[in-house]
Amino acid sequence: VGLIVGIEREFQHQQQHSQDFAGIRTFILIALFGWLTGFITQQLGEYWFAIVAFMGIILLVIAGYCVVAWRGKVVGATSEISAILVFLLGLLVSYNYILIAVIAAVLMTTVLSYKYHLHRFAQRLELEEVHGGVKLAIISLIVLPLLPSDVQAKLKYIKNDKGLDSFERWGKISDVLNEMYNKMDESE
């Protein structure tokens, strides 16, 4: 897991012609340190060792951040946060959560490698689009799971109705949500 993230961080440093907090070797060693920390913690049966090691990594990251900032470079925290996460991924591997650690490392590397695309995407957004995305997230992740079961059943029926196109489906969903809203309004 350290190798995957480390390669991406090293590539970014070389592209920017800069020496940052950590490169490929450091990330490999941080993952190894996380793995060894988990191994030793399991052998000792004491979680204090993992906590002390984690605090040590955090202090190392803070020191690295300060050194880079002291050199007068524009400072971000991406490599530093990545280092903390790589330590935790190494710890996960030691507890045999290898698949989770690998998936997280690949997702991390993907996000890191798409830096310029993500920044460009965010710069092109309009305020209305941001608000629309937030509203969609609120409806999908907060409101929908909290809906009463009868409303959820109606929404599932609409979702499974194969005769509806997307526009008709959204219209029916809107009708169900309006009906629910009206019921709530009447009860007040």
Side-chain angles (χ1 to χ4, degrees):
V1 292
L3 176 66
I4 298 169
V5 177
I7 288 173
E8 192 285 331
R9 293 286 73 203
E10 186 75 33
F11 177 78
Q12 289 294 332
H13 299 161
Q14 289 177 8
Q15 292 295 311
Q16 297 168 355
H17 304 290
S18 68
Q19 180 60 36
D20 202 351
F21 165 72
I24 187 169
R25 295 177 303 155
T26 307
F27 276 98
I28 292 170
L29 293 174
I30 289 171
L32 179 61
F33 182 56
W35 180 81
L36 284 171
T37 297
F39 176 76
I40 293 169
T41 299
Q42 291 174 56
Q43 296 304 309
L44 295 176
E46 300 287 338
Y47 290 101
W48 63 264
F49 187 80
I51 294 168
V52 170
F54 184 62
M55 298 309 286
I57 281 293
I58 289 176
L59 289 174
L60 175 70
V61 165
I62 291 170
Y65 184 87
C66 291
V67 167
V68 171
W70 181 70
R71 290 181 183 164
K73 302 205 176 193
V74 176
V75 181
T78 307
S79 291
E80 290 79 1
I81 297 298
S82 298
I84 293 169
L85 290 173
V86 165
F87 171 82
L88 293 172
L89 295 179
L91 202 59
L92 281 174
V93 169
S94 74
Y95 281 90
N96 219 20
Y97 292 105
I98 297 167
L99 183 60
I100 292 171
V102 170
I103 290 170
V106 169
L107 288 173
M108 252 177 72
T109 305
T110 302
V111 169
L112 292 170
S113 66
Y114 279 91
K115 171 186 177 176
Y116 298 107
H117 300 287
L118 291 170
H119 285 286
R120 196 170 359 164
F121 172 75
Q123 289 169 348
R124 292 180 180 174
L125 285 175
E126 298 291 329
L127 184 60
E128 294 82 23
E129 294 170 322
V130 173
H131 287 169
V134 170
K135 288 175 186 175
L136 179 63
I138 289 170
I139 289 170
S140 302
L141 303 173
I142 298 173
V143 174
L144 194 57
L146 297 176
L147 288 176
S149 58
D150 62 318
V151 175
Q152 287 184 10
K154 288 179 185 178
L155 293 175
K156 284 180 186 172
Y157 174 78
I158 292 168
K159 176 185 151 206
N160 295 329
D161 188 348
K162 302 294 183 208
L164 298 176
D165 65 15
S166 298
F167 185 76
E168 292 171 324
R169 189 169 283 129
W170 272 112
K172 291 200 177 261
I173 289 171
S174 177
D175 291 343
V176 169
L177 293 176
N178 278 330
E179 178 185 322
M180 184 194 74
Y181 176 77
N182 290 334
K183 282 182 185 178
M184 288 175 33
D185 205 25
E186 291 170 2
S187 66
E188 289 178 0

